[in-house]
């Protein structure tokens, strides 16, 4: 599905995208890709202000409107206030990408309630918060694409990640239910389930662990943020105009 700059430059022109958790990794790459495709971008973060201001500056210099919001997506009221400001500032929201997520791994018997609640809150409740906040607006304009970031472990599970796996499985059920409820209003809702993606987080892993993972992948490599961002480009654009309620595995064949 790869395309060059000239082919992609107008794919999202005139659209406004809201991306949660865009200060690094997959979310940051999606922001760059959407900017190059002509979209105006609002994004959330909870990390360094300096990193975020740099991203905001870069995207604005390239010619689109861009605004960052320091918001914990698991906070219901703060999220609704943020969405209201996005609509006020940009005038509309065409694409919502629920990308905010964390891990806090551990075996179930050793997992604290706080660890469970925090992962479920940021990974799953955040989808409820942002989607509920944008739906009245999307229903009014009778169009919109909602893209939720799941994971292959939400499909197959993973030892030591009961909280993360449960949150990502919940994202899939949430996605399919929203697609059924709001398709008649012209709103599409799909999920992306990345596999082993090389990010700042995976860069800290022991090379032996990485090799064990990649040896099990049919394409014999880890994915990169570009691979996931291109899937988000597809779902956010009119190329997927007749696609909703789907889960796209970007995993190099890991679950084949």
């Amino acid at each position: 599905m790869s395309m060059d700059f000239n082919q992609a430059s107008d794919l999202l022109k005139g659209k406004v995208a809201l991306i949660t958790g865009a200060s690094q990794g997959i979310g940051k790459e999606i922001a760059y890709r959407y900017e190059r495709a002509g979209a105006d971008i609002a994004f959330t973060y909870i990390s360094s202000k300096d990193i975020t201001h740099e991203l905001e500056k870069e995207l604005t210099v390239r010619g689109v409107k861009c605004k960052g919001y320091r918001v914990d997506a698991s906070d219901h009221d703060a999220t609704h206030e943020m969405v209201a400001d996005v609509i006020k500032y940009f005038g509309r929201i065409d694409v919502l990408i629920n990308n905010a997520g964390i891990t806090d791994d551990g075996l179930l018997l050793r997992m604290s309630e706080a660890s469970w609640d925090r992962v479920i809150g940021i990974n799953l409740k955040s989808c409820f918060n942002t989607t509920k906040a944008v739906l009245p607006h999307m229903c009014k304009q009778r169009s919109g694409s909602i893209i939720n970031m799941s994971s292959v472990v939400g499909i197959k599970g993973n030892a030591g990640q009961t909280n993360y796996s449960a949150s990502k499985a919940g994202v899939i059920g949430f996605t399919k239910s929203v697609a059924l409820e709001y398709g008649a209003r012209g709103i599409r809702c799909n999920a992306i389930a990345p596999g082993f993606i090389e990010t700042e987080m995976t860069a800290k892993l022991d090379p032996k662990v990485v090799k064990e993972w990649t040896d099990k992948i049919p394409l014999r490599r880890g994915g990169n943020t570009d691979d996931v961002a291109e899937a988000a480009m597809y779902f956010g654009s009119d190329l997927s105009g007749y696609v909703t309620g789907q889960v796209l595995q970007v995993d190099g064949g890991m679950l084949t």
Side-chain angles (χ1 to χ4, degrees):
M1 197 179 74
S2 181
M3 59 185 74
D4 64 29
F5 176 80
N6 290 326
Q7 290 174 308
S9 59
D10 293 329
L11 195 59
L12 298 173
K13 188 174 182 179
K15 294 183 182 293
V16 175
L18 169 58
I19 309 167
T20 66
S23 64
Q24 61 184 350
I26 290 171
K28 187 175 183 179
E29 185 60 37
I30 292 173
Y32 282 135
R33 284 304 186 95
Y34 269 52
E35 179 274 332
R36 292 200 295 269
D40 291 327
I41 298 162
F43 67 92
T44 72
Y45 66 98
I46 54 175
S47 59
S48 170
K49 285 187 177 181
D50 292 337
I51 294 174
T52 305
H53 288 166
E54 187 63 29
L55 175 61
E56 192 176 54
K57 181 179 178 181
E58 284 182 21
L59 296 180
T60 303
V61 167
R62 290 180 179 184
V64 304
K65 291 175 67 176
C66 178
K67 188 174 182 180
Y69 296 84
R70 192 169 193 176
V71 174
D72 181 347
S74 67
D75 186 322
H76 180 273
D77 292 343
T79 298
H80 279 249
E81 290 174 7
M82 176 271 295
V83 168
D85 190 83
V86 171
I87 294 171
K88 181 179 179 181
Y89 184 78
F90 291 92
R92 60 188 295 122
I93 297 176
D94 300 286
V95 183
L96 167 64
I97 303 174
N98 285 311
N99 172 73
I102 63 167
T103 59
D104 191 358
D105 299 345
L107 296 175
L108 183 59
L109 284 176
R110 299 176 183 172
M111 185 175 293
S112 67
E113 182 181 9
S115 172
W116 175 271
D117 289 345
R118 179 163 171 74
V119 171
I120 295 295
I122 292 180
N123 295 5
L124 180 56
K125 185 186 176 186
S126 64
C127 293
F128 166 79
N129 291 341
T130 51
T131 302
K132 186 176 181 181
V134 303
L135 273 174
H137 174 73
M138 287 185 171
C139 286
K140 185 176 181 180
Q141 67 188 24
R142 299 194 69 80
S143 66
S145 175
I146 300 169
I147 305 165
N148 298 319
M149 204 61 64
S150 183
S151 168
V152 292
V153 303
I155 299 171
K156 73 178 187 66
N158 195 37
Q161 287 191 310
T162 52
N163 50 4
Y164 186 76
S165 298
S167 71
K168 294 303 186 178
V171 167
I172 291 174
F174 179 82
T175 297
K176 291 181 176 291
S177 297
V178 172
L180 289 169
E181 288 185 14
Y182 293 97
R185 302 293 185 91
I187 299 167
R188 297 181 294 110
C189 188
N190 294 285
I192 299 171
F196 185 80
I197 305 299
E198 296 173 352
T199 63
E200 293 93 336
M201 189 190 323
T202 59
K204 301 175 184 178
L205 294 175
D206 186 316
K208 292 182 180 179
V209 174
V210 173
K211 188 176 186 305
E212 287 177 6
W213 274 88
T214 55
D215 283 349
K216 298 175 184 177
I217 299 172
L219 291 184
R220 293 298 189 273
R221 68 172 180 87
N224 54 54
T225 54
D226 281 350
D227 295 318
V228 183
E230 289 201 356
M233 285 276 289
Y234 170 69
F235 281 137
S237 74
D238 294 338
L239 292 174
S240 58
Y242 197 56
V243 180
T244 193
Q246 303 304 304
V247 181
L248 177 57
Q249 294 171 210
V250 182
D251 66 357
M254 181 188 292
L255 297 191
T256 300

